[in-house]
Amino acid sequence: MSLVIEKVTKEFGRFPALKGVSLTAPKGSFLALLGPSGSGKTTLLRILGGLEYADLGHVAFEGEDWLTIPARERKAGFVFQQYALFKHMTVAKNIAFGLEVRPRRQRPRAAEICRRVEELLALMQLDGLGGRYPSQLSGGQRQRVALARALAIEPRMLLLDEPFGALDAKVRKDLRVWLRNLHDRLGLTTIFVTHDQEEALELADLVAVMNQGRIEQIGAAANLRNSPATPFVAEFLSGIATPSPSDLSSSLASIH
Amino acid sequence: MIQLFKPRAPTEDHVLLRWALTLLALSFIGVFLILPLALVFREAFGDGFAAAWTAINEPDALSAIRLTLITAAIAVPLNAVFGIAASWAVAKFDFWGKGLLVTLIDLPFSISPVVSGLIYVLVFGLQGWFGESLRDHDIRIIFALPGIVLATIFVTFPFVARELIPLMSDQGREEEEAAVSLGASGLSTFWRVTLPNIKWGLLYGVLLCNARAMGEFGAVSVVSGHIRGLTDTMPLHIEALYNDYQYVGAFAVASLLALLALVTLTLKSILEWRYADEIAAVHHH
Amino acid sequence: MAALAPALRWRNPSALPGFGLSLGFTLFYLSALVLVPLAALVIRPWEIGWSGFWAVLSDPRVQHALKLSFGASLIAAAINTVFGLIVAWVLVRYRFPGKRLLDAVVDLPFALPTAVAGIALSALYARNGWIGQPLQQFGITVAYTPLGVVMALTFIGLPFVVRTLQPILVELNRESEEAAATLGATRFQTMRRVILPMLAPSLLTGAALAFARAVGEYGSVIFIAGNLPGVSEIAPLLIIIKLNENDYAGAAAIGVIMLALSFVMLLTLNLLQAWTASRR
């Protein structure tokens, strides 16, 4: 098992955001944290990214004591809900950021940084947009810049906070497939947070349904739908159409 | 059929009322603000440019100008650093007592400048808390530059902080969190991510801080000792000249400060018009 | 990461660095610069004990100076409330050439050093001054009288009301005015019954700010005031006089009284403002 989360607990003041959450996920899996707002999914994601500290509990990733590593050194690529792009920097500078702030010994040379940025721009289908500023881009494009920026540091895990929340339905559908594709290509352990059941079940290998700071059930998409462990899970997952294979391939075709 | 006149919208005032109120507003501003300003320049240059120049070039005036510049050169950067530190603490972190901290920062605005000077005399003056030991060590704070700088710092330290706190709070923490998740150190994050975002607000705050630092009168008057050529800042020198009936001289030096005020206002307006979003979300003086 | 008992924590630890440094520096700066000297102010009067304090408070000269400072500030704030409202209204609602210039000029009292304003106002209202002379024809003397003090304090407080009102006026919902019009109200009725009540809290806030600033004002006032004890002597000047006489305790006593009185008046105005705001 590559990612082991053990009884992680977090309180904000007197509000219990996470109440002893545990889960395991194999390396390279695509895990979704699914639940309504207030379920603690974003808090858990931020703890994995080092942006919040857990009050109790342990996390091990690839054998390391994850929570003792400072956020700076974790190399957990984080994609924020509102992208958090550096608005005064160009797209290229945004993506290069993680490489440019490395200590001198670990920093690649300028030419190498340039090359990597170009590579990522191509990968994200943002060719030619390197010189633009975030305000000049569409929502979908900004999303991909945020992703490129996180990938530039060659992260060990990819964390996405409601990545498609701010986008309209068509763009969302396209990006979903595209993200799954990217994951399959890179083999990165990816964890994403969403409140959209359809999205979670369609994309992820493993889905953890959360409610009020606890994991109600965790398992593969099909299992959750067919054998919900609690009434909450059953109700939360009710009324979703299962995408057929032809839907998926036509979506894939449309973004190329 | 072309409409010959537009009927008045229900939320528009009657044209006569508009004229009356506009004229009233203009007269009020004219009498209370423009006239005094005009008078400064008229009195300074009424006897010709040469007379004004002589008054400014005179040794006591020059040392007053020097003292004012030195005081501002020390007080403003210190207060800028404070403003940045305070707004970093308040805007990027959650902790108990934030409200109290912000109230404390606002304190100098509710205290009379004379009281602002008084408190330093009470601590460092001859009969103050440290008066005896300072005298024994031959250190002069009151009636010397350090006292003037201290009083000036006190009166002007809120300016930068009050601009940056709402601005940085409004901008949130996400960009800084992103930078940290990408591996940047604290200094790197501040320098590359935060500073560019706050640069216009910072400039604005420094501008106001400087204008006040150079023009402070009440507080400095208490701690200065009024030693001509030594501990007189420009405002104090103006007072000395005026009380000596040397009107041309007084207004000549005053016109320098008035010019500074006009430049400050112009820069302030430019910053406000062009960079409105990047300057404080909430504006209160 | 080991457990941190949540109940004892006073802050939510963050991944962002620099908390200790920034808060530490901030607190150090504030303590050294503000808290310690203020403590000196509050402690000093006790040297002369309650009786000494009372003697200062009951001294007629002190009483008159306090009355002048607070009274003139109140009148100046009232003038600024009325005219500040007019200026803000004109700036927000009307269009005319030079409006932007006017808008920028309103900030002049913030930017102009008080000593410069002081000598300018003094020369302006002197018996042979640009305004003083015509007024003299009507038998009105401004310089060296409490009236001069009021004029100077009006100058100082002008921007407060205008700047507090402007953002509120800009955001004011026109629909309420339109509704009043459709219901048959005249502009005057609309102004009185709809607009003014909506503006009342910010008017009071602006007035309070102008008042607070005026009470402690020194530089703009001492030149025009004349500083005759018992007639046109303001409280801050009295503090300076006592310091020159080496009466530190007396000076501190007046300072403390001024702070206390300002605090009470501001509290009253704030409560008044909260009351008007909640009446809706």
Short mmCIF file of all heavy atoms in Angstrom, two decimals, chain B residues 104-133:
data_model
loop_
_atom_site.label_atom_id
_atom_site.label_comp_id
_atom_site.label_asym_id
_atom_site.label_seq_id
_atom_site.Cartn_x
_atom_site.Cartn_y
_atom_site.Cartn_z
N LEU B 104 -4.94 48.62 18.34
CA LEU B 104 -3.74 49.27 18.85
C LEU B 104 -3.04 50.05 17.74
O LEU B 104 -2.52 51.14 17.95
CB LEU B 104 -2.77 48.23 19.41
CG LEU B 104 -2.98 47.83 20.87
CD1 LEU B 104 -1.95 46.80 21.27
CD2 LEU B 104 -2.87 49.06 21.77
N ILE B 105 -3.02 49.44 16.56
CA ILE B 105 -2.35 50.10 15.44
C ILE B 105 -3.06 51.41 15.09
O ILE B 105 -2.44 52.37 14.67
CB ILE B 105 -2.28 49.16 14.23
CG1 ILE B 105 -1.35 47.99 14.54
CG2 ILE B 105 -1.80 49.89 12.99
CD1 ILE B 105 -1.24 46.98 13.44
N ASP B 106 -4.36 51.45 15.27
CA ASP B 106 -5.11 52.66 14.96
C ASP B 106 -4.97 53.75 16.01
O ASP B 106 -5.44 54.86 15.83
CB ASP B 106 -6.60 52.32 14.83
CG ASP B 106 -7.00 52.09 13.39
OD1 ASP B 106 -6.15 52.31 12.51
OD2 ASP B 106 -8.16 51.71 13.15
N LEU B 107 -4.35 53.40 17.14
CA LEU B 107 -4.36 54.30 18.30
C LEU B 107 -3.84 55.72 18.03
O LEU B 107 -4.49 56.68 18.42
CB LEU B 107 -3.55 53.66 19.43
CG LEU B 107 -3.96 54.05 20.84
CD1 LEU B 107 -5.44 53.80 21.07
CD2 LEU B 107 -3.15 53.25 21.84
N PRO B 108 -2.68 55.87 17.35
CA PRO B 108 -2.16 57.23 17.18
C PRO B 108 -3.16 58.18 16.52
O PRO B 108 -3.06 59.39 16.71
CB PRO B 108 -0.94 57.04 16.30
CG PRO B 108 -0.47 55.69 16.62
CD PRO B 108 -1.71 54.89 16.86
N PHE B 109 -4.09 57.64 15.77
CA PHE B 109 -5.04 58.53 15.11
C PHE B 109 -6.04 59.13 16.09
O PHE B 109 -6.68 60.13 15.79
CB PHE B 109 -5.80 57.77 14.02
CG PHE B 109 -4.98 57.54 12.79
CD1 PHE B 109 -5.43 56.70 11.80
CD2 PHE B 109 -3.76 58.14 12.63
CE1 PHE B 109 -4.68 56.48 10.66
CE2 PHE B 109 -2.99 57.93 11.50
CZ PHE B 109 -3.47 57.09 10.51
N SER B 110 -6.21 58.50 17.23
CA SER B 110 -7.18 59.06 18.17
C SER B 110 -6.53 59.88 19.27
O SER B 110 -7.19 60.35 20.16
CB SER B 110 -8.02 57.95 18.82
OG SER B 110 -7.58 56.70 18.44
N ILE B 111 -5.20 60.02 19.18
CA ILE B 111 -4.51 60.77 20.24
C ILE B 111 -4.05 62.11 19.69
O ILE B 111 -3.56 62.19 18.57
CB ILE B 111 -3.29 59.97 20.74
CG1 ILE B 111 -3.75 58.62 21.28
CG2 ILE B 111 -2.55 60.73 21.80
CD1 ILE B 111 -2.61 57.81 21.83
N SER B 112 -4.20 63.16 20.49
CA SER B 112 -3.73 64.47 20.06
C SER B 112 -2.22 64.43 19.83
O SER B 112 -1.50 63.77 20.58
CB SER B 112 -4.05 65.48 21.15
OG SER B 112 -3.31 66.66 20.94
N PRO B 113 -1.73 65.11 18.78
CA PRO B 113 -0.29 65.10 18.54
C PRO B 113 0.51 65.60 19.75
O PRO B 113 1.60 65.09 20.02
CB PRO B 113 -0.11 66.07 17.36
CG PRO B 113 -1.44 66.36 16.84
CD PRO B 113 -2.47 65.85 17.77
N VAL B 114 -0.04 66.56 20.48
CA VAL B 114 0.68 67.06 21.65
C VAL B 114 0.83 65.95 22.68
O VAL B 114 1.88 65.77 23.29
CB VAL B 114 -0.06 68.27 22.25
CG1 VAL B 114 0.49 68.60 23.63
CG2 VAL B 114 0.07 69.46 21.33
N VAL B 115 -0.23 65.17 22.87
CA VAL B 115 -0.15 64.05 23.81
C VAL B 115 0.86 63.03 23.30
O VAL B 115 1.61 62.43 24.09
CB VAL B 115 -1.54 63.40 24.01
CG1 VAL B 115 -1.45 62.16 24.89
CG2 VAL B 115 -2.50 64.40 24.63
N SER B 116 0.92 62.85 21.97
CA SER B 116 1.89 61.92 21.39
C SER B 116 3.30 62.32 21.74
O SER B 116 4.16 61.48 21.96
CB SER B 116 1.75 61.88 19.87
OG SER B 116 0.42 61.64 19.50
N GLY B 117 3.59 63.60 21.76
CA GLY B 117 4.91 64.06 22.15
C GLY B 117 5.09 63.96 23.65
O GLY B 117 6.16 63.56 24.14
N LEU B 118 4.03 64.28 24.38
CA LEU B 118 4.07 64.26 25.85
C LEU B 118 4.52 62.91 26.37
O LEU B 118 5.34 62.82 27.28
CB LEU B 118 2.68 64.62 26.39
CG LEU B 118 2.44 64.45 27.90
CD1 LEU B 118 3.28 65.43 28.68
CD2 LEU B 118 0.97 64.65 28.22
N ILE B 119 3.98 61.82 25.78
CA ILE B 119 4.29 60.51 26.34
C ILE B 119 5.79 60.19 26.26
O ILE B 119 6.33 59.52 27.13
CB ILE B 119 3.47 59.39 25.67
CG1 ILE B 119 3.68 59.36 24.18
CG2 ILE B 119 2.00 59.57 25.99
CD1 ILE B 119 2.87 58.27 23.49
N TYR B 120 6.46 60.72 25.23
CA TYR B 120 7.89 60.46 25.15
C TYR B 120 8.67 61.29 26.13
O TYR B 120 9.71 60.87 26.66
CB TYR B 120 8.40 60.64 23.72
CG TYR B 120 7.91 59.53 22.84
CD1 TYR B 120 6.85 59.74 21.97
CD2 TYR B 120 8.47 58.27 22.94
CE1 TYR B 120 6.37 58.70 21.21
CE2 TYR B 120 7.99 57.23 22.18
CZ TYR B 120 6.94 57.44 21.32
OH TYR B 120 6.45 56.42 20.58
N VAL B 121 8.18 62.51 26.39
CA VAL B 121 8.81 63.33 27.43
C VAL B 121 8.67 62.64 28.78
O VAL B 121 9.58 62.63 29.60
CB VAL B 121 8.18 64.73 27.47
CG1 VAL B 121 8.71 65.52 28.64
CG2 VAL B 121 8.44 65.46 26.18
N LEU B 122 7.49 62.03 29.00
CA LEU B 122 7.27 61.35 30.28
C LEU B 122 8.20 60.15 30.47
O LEU B 122 8.47 59.74 31.58
CB LEU B 122 5.81 60.90 30.38
CG LEU B 122 4.79 62.01 30.57
CD1 LEU B 122 3.38 61.44 30.59
CD2 LEU B 122 5.05 62.79 31.84
N VAL B 123 8.66 59.58 29.35
CA VAL B 123 9.54 58.43 29.49
C VAL B 123 11.01 58.85 29.47
O VAL B 123 11.81 58.39 30.27
CB VAL B 123 9.28 57.40 28.35
CG1 VAL B 123 10.25 56.25 28.45
CG2 VAL B 123 7.86 56.89 28.41
N PHE B 124 11.35 59.74 28.54
CA PHE B 124 12.76 60.06 28.33
C PHE B 124 13.18 61.43 28.83
O PHE B 124 14.37 61.75 28.82
CB PHE B 124 13.12 59.96 26.85
CG PHE B 124 12.96 58.59 26.28
CD1 PHE B 124 11.96 58.32 25.36
CD2 PHE B 124 13.81 57.56 26.65
CE1 PHE B 124 11.81 57.06 24.82
CE2 PHE B 124 13.67 56.30 26.12
CZ PHE B 124 12.67 56.04 25.21
N GLY B 125 12.21 62.27 29.22
CA GLY B 125 12.55 63.62 29.64
C GLY B 125 13.31 63.63 30.96
O GLY B 125 13.40 62.62 31.65
N LEU B 126 13.87 64.79 31.32
CA LEU B 126 14.67 64.90 32.54
C LEU B 126 13.94 64.39 33.77
O LEU B 126 14.51 63.78 34.65
CB LEU B 126 15.07 66.36 32.77
CG LEU B 126 16.48 66.70 32.29
CD1 LEU B 126 16.82 68.13 32.62
CD2 LEU B 126 17.49 65.75 32.93
N GLN B 127 12.64 64.65 33.82
CA GLN B 127 11.88 64.17 34.96
C GLN B 127 11.09 62.93 34.61
O GLN B 127 10.17 62.54 35.32
CB GLN B 127 10.92 65.26 35.45
CG GLN B 127 11.68 66.51 35.86
CD GLN B 127 10.76 67.45 36.58
OE1 GLN B 127 9.83 67.01 37.27
NE2 GLN B 127 10.99 68.73 36.44
N GLY B 128 11.49 62.33 33.48
CA GLY B 128 10.77 61.14 33.05
C GLY B 128 11.36 59.89 33.68
O GLY B 128 12.29 59.93 34.49
N TRP B 129 10.81 58.73 33.27
CA TRP B 129 11.23 57.47 33.87
C TRP B 129 12.71 57.21 33.72
O TRP B 129 13.37 56.77 34.64
CB TRP B 129 10.46 56.32 33.21
CG TRP B 129 9.07 56.17 33.74
CD1 TRP B 129 8.52 56.87 34.78
CD2 TRP B 129 8.07 55.30 33.27
NE1 TRP B 129 7.24 56.47 34.98
CE2 TRP B 129 6.93 55.51 34.08
CE3 TRP B 129 8.01 54.34 32.26
CZ2 TRP B 129 5.75 54.80 33.89
CZ3 TRP B 129 6.84 53.64 32.08
CH2 TRP B 129 5.72 53.87 32.89
N PHE B 130 13.24 57.45 32.51
CA PHE B 130 14.65 57.15 32.29
C PHE B 130 15.51 58.41 32.29
O PHE B 130 16.67 58.37 31.96
CB PHE B 130 14.84 56.44 30.94
CG PHE B 130 14.09 55.15 30.83
CD1 PHE B 130 13.30 54.88 29.73
CD2 PHE B 130 14.17 54.19 31.83
CE1 PHE B 130 12.59 53.70 29.64
CE2 PHE B 130 13.47 53.02 31.75
CZ PHE B 130 12.68 52.77 30.65
N GLY B 131 14.89 59.53 32.68
CA GLY B 131 15.59 60.81 32.58
C GLY B 131 16.94 60.82 33.27
O GLY B 131 17.94 61.20 32.68
N GLU B 132 16.95 60.39 34.54
CA GLU B 132 18.19 60.44 35.31
C GLU B 132 19.28 59.60 34.67
O GLU B 132 20.40 60.07 34.47
CB GLU B 132 17.92 59.93 36.74
CG GLU B 132 16.90 60.76 37.49
CD GLU B 132 17.56 61.90 38.25
OE1 GLU B 132 18.68 61.70 38.71
OE2 GLU B 132 16.95 62.98 38.35
N SER B 133 18.95 58.33 34.35
CA SER B 133 20.01 57.46 33.84
C SER B 133 20.49 57.92 32.47
O SER B 133 21.67 57.79 32.14
CB SER B 133 19.54 56.00 33.78
OG SER B 133 18.25 55.94 33.25
#
